[in-house]
């Protein structure tokens, strides 16, 4: 006797009830799957991008904003810090590596970051075509930037003041040239336009000089390229940490500095010294990421409980449907018993029916959850930049699927037990 086929026939006989039960349970499972995949991918992405960075040093303000802006590039800068102060701090013997960042401009919502080659090395990124930036106003594109904007090596573009879609007027006086394109690294570099810090200085200094010239209509104009060649030399020093520092004047500023220390003890003592004795701020990526997840956890917990509520409603609905269906099918079950079916067969038949609904709901829920994340990662810009995808399969999903199947058994136990106790003579006599 083909029990799964018989159970399927019973489910098809009640299409409205079966569809409703499948829909409610699959939606609850889909929400759980989305939360599992989303939190796992975000945590992995955040941890990977912050790996190897002990401190983010920048202007005073929100430490979480400082980390989000300068590591993950999903917020705005807290301000600028002096290059000379950053150089003094990087000269500390406890500092192993210092990566400078200068933010301020963007192109088509992608940020233009002034930095040094250490930034690329930190994420182990490689060149897909062309080369890393060397000359003033040269840029190297992240893989996602090049793919979306269809820019190729040798092409040029103009940056715009501001970061994000709502940007200001284009800097038509400063044209960037694409020197190279990075390979996909699954890091923040994929969505960035990288250049040297002098280029960022030049763009803004040129804009300030133009504004000053319009107001005063006099004064000598410093040629941009000549000034860049002057500032493009690296600081000659015996300290290898300072090798990537640009040579700027006393007024030169950067947005932040990403620091890695030589010992864990430095990561404990240095933040207090910086925060208390300088006009800069030091923020720990590890601490701020943990705080971010605790903030996000409130919303995630609410959605999780909502998903559990939907699953509970679905389980209750399946139980009621099976229990009511049993009353309608008592005569059929009695006939099966009279034709030789055992009590155990009737018990298993009802269990299979509950498990069948649960398995179908589990499959639909998993597919729906992955489909939603794939749509977010493909069509939503924020999802693309975050690297969200529905193609990842986690072990936790197997546990969800197994738990769903067990729920089917749980919902069917009482109706199955009632079927097991069916009195053939009594039911046939009533029929």
């Amino acid at each position: 006797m083909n029990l799964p086929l018989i159970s399927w026939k019973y489910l098809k006989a009640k299409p409205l009830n079966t569809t409703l039960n499948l829909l409610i349970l699959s939606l609850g499972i889909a929400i759980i799957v989305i939360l599992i995949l989303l939190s796992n991918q975000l945590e992995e992405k955040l941890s990977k991008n912050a790996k190897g960075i002990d401190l983010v040093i920048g202007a005073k303000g929100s430490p979480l904003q400082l980390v989000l802006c300068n590591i993950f590039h999903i917020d705005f800068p807290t301000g600028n810090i002096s290059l000379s102060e950053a150089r003094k701090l990087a000269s500390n013997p406890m500092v192993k590596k210092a990566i400078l960042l200068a933010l301020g401009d963007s192109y088509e919502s992608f940020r233009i970051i002034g930095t040094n080659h250490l930034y690329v090395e930190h994420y182990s990124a490689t060149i897909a075509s062309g080369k890393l930036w060397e000359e003033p106003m040269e840029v190297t594109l992240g893989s996602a930037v090049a793919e979306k904007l269809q820019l190729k090596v040798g092409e040029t573009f103009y940056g715009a003041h501001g970061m994000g879609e709502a940007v200001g007027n284009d800097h038509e006086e400063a044209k960037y040239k694409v020197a190279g394109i990075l390979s996909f690294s699954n890091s923040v570099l994929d969505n960035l336009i990288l250049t040297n810090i002098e280029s960022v200085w030049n763009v803004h200094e040129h804009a300030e000089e133009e504004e000053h010239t319009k107001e005063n209509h006099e004064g000598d104009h410093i040629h941009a390229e000549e000034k860049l060649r002057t500032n493009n030399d690296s600081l000659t020093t015996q300290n290898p940490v300072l090798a990537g520092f640009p040579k700027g004047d006393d007024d030169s500023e950067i947005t932040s500095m990403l620091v890695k220390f030589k010992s864990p003890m430095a990561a404990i003592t240095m933040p207090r010294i910086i925060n208390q004795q300088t006009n800069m701020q030091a923020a720990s990526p590890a601490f701020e990421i943990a705080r971010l997840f605790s903030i996000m956890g409130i919303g995630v917990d609410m959605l999780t409980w909502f998903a559990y509520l939907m699953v509970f409603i679905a389980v209750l609905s399946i139980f009621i449907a099976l229990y009511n269906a049993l009353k309608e099918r008592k005569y059929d079950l009695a006939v099966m018993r009279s034709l030789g079916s055992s009590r155990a067969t009737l018990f298993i038949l009802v269990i299979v029916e509950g498990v069948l609904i649960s398995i179908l709901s589990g499959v639909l829920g998993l597919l729906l959850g992955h489909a939603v994340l794939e749509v977010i990662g493909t069509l939503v810009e924020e999802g693309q930049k975050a690297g969200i995808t529905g193609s990842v399969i986690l072990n936790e999903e197997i546990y969800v699927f197994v738990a769903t199947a067990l729920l089917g058994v749980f919902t069917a136990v009482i109706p199955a037990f009632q079927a097991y106790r069916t009195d053939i003579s009594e039911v046939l006599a009533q029929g």
Side-chain angles (χ1 to χ4, degrees), residues 79-380:
N80 291 331
I81 60 174
S82 168
L83 176 66
S84 59
E85 290 188 1
R87 183 185 289 118
K88 186 185 300 183
L89 185 61
S91 302
N92 191 299
M94 291 188 289
V95 175
K96 181 179 181 180
K97 181 169 63 176
I99 301 172
L100 306 184
L101 298 180
L103 289 71
D105 289 345
S106 64
Y107 177 63
E108 296 292 339
S109 80
F110 290 102
R111 295 187 174 187
I112 300 173
I113 308 294
T115 184
N116 51 39
H117 291 178
L118 284 176
Y119 196 41
V120 178
E121 295 173 9
H122 178 77
Y123 292 105
S124 303
T126 57
I127 288 290
S129 61
K131 62 175 185 177
L132 291 177
W133 68 95
E134 295 290 348
E135 300 299 322
M137 304 308 293
E138 285 187 343
V139 299
T140 301
L141 308 178
S143 60
V145 179
E147 182 180 355
K148 183 170 183 179
L149 302 183
Q150 294 298 303
L151 287 172
K152 295 180 172 54
V153 175
E155 294 184 339
T156 60
F157 62 90
Y158 296 99
H161 186 64
M163 288 174 287
E165 295 182 3
V167 296
N169 296 326
D170 289 346
H171 293 300
E172 296 182 356
E173 75 287 346
K175 180 167 60 176
Y176 291 102
K177 182 178 179 180
V178 179
I181 299 172
L182 295 174
S183 300
F184 176 74
S185 61
N186 194 29
S187 70
V188 290
L189 298 187
D190 296 331
N191 297 292
L192 299 179
I193 301 172
L194 304 177
T195 185
N196 56 22
I197 293 175
E198 296 90 344
S199 298
V200 175
W201 287 345
N202 173 63
V203 169
H204 291 87
E205 286 174 2
H206 194 111
E208 290 174 3
E209 288 170 2
E210 254 194 6
E211 184 178 346
H212 181 74
T213 302
K214 289 177 182 178
E215 290 176 356
N216 297 287
H217 301 287
E218 60 182 12
D220 295 329
H221 178 69
I222 300 175
H223 194 274
E225 290 188 4
E226 183 179 342
K227 186 170 184 179
L228 276 174
R229 291 193 187 100
T230 303
N231 288 339
N232 195 43
D233 298 328
S234 294
L235 186 64
T236 303
T237 177
Q238 293 181 350
N239 191 340
V241 176
L242 301 178
F245 274 62
K247 186 178 181 181
D249 53 35
D250 294 338
D251 296 327
S252 299
E253 293 182 330
I254 58 173
T255 305
S256 65
M257 183 167 64
L258 311 181
V259 175
K260 180 175 178 59
F261 293 111
K262 292 180 180 178
S263 67
M265 183 60 65
I268 298 173
T269 59
M270 287 296 291
R272 185 176 67 255
I273 296 173
I274 294 169
N275 291 329
Q276 294 179 357
Q277 301 180 12
T278 72
N279 60 357
M280 297 183 291
Q281 175 186 211
S284 167
F287 178 80
E288 296 304 326
I289 289 173
R291 191 159 73 92
L292 176 64
F293 269 96
S294 68
I295 295 171
M296 292 172 52
I298 299 173
V300 171
D301 288 343
M302 289 181 64
L303 286 174
T304 303
W305 281 111
F306 177 70
Y308 288 154
L309 178 62
M310 292 188 66
V311 171
F312 174 76
I313 293 172
V315 168
L316 188 61
S317 178
I318 293 171
F319 168 76
I320 294 172
L322 290 176
Y323 195 82
N324 289 335
L326 181 64
K327 294 179 180 179
E328 299 173 4
R329 288 156 37 196
K330 275 188 174 182
Y331 187 81
D332 296 340
L333 296 176
V335 170
M336 291 177 62
R337 286 278 288 115
S338 64
L339 294 176
S341 297
S342 64
R343 292 178 179 269
T345 300
L346 300 186
F347 182 88
I348 295 172
L349 177 65
V350 179
I351 292 291
V352 168
E353 192 170 334
V355 171
L356 197 56
I357 295 177
S358 299
I359 289 178
L360 288 174
S361 300
V363 172
L364 288 175
L366 290 173
L367 292 176
L368 182 59
H370 282 268
V372 169
L373 279 186
E374 191 63 30
V375 169
I376 293 174
T378 304
L379 301 181
V380 180

Side-chain angles (χ1 to χ4, degrees), residues 70-86:
N70 295 285
I71 292 185
F72 310 114
H73 300 283
I74 53 178
D75 207 337
F76 295 94
T78 55
N80 291 331
I81 60 174
S82 168
L83 176 66
S84 59
E85 290 188 1

Side-chain angles (χ1 to χ4, degrees), residues 355-411:
V355 171
L356 197 56
I357 295 177
S358 299
I359 289 178
L360 288 174
S361 300
V363 172
L364 288 175
L366 290 173
L367 292 176
L368 182 59
H370 282 268
V372 169
L373 279 186
E374 191 63 30
V375 169
I376 293 174
T378 304
L379 301 181
V380 180
E381 184 175 344
E382 288 76 10
Q384 293 175 355
K385 291 184 177 181
I388 301 300
T389 177
S391 60
V392 177
I393 299 177
L394 303 176
N395 291 333
E396 289 88 339
E397 296 180 72
I398 300 175
Y399 304 146
V400 171
F401 187 78
V402 172
T404 304
L406 292 177
L407 279 178
V409 176
F410 175 76
T411 57

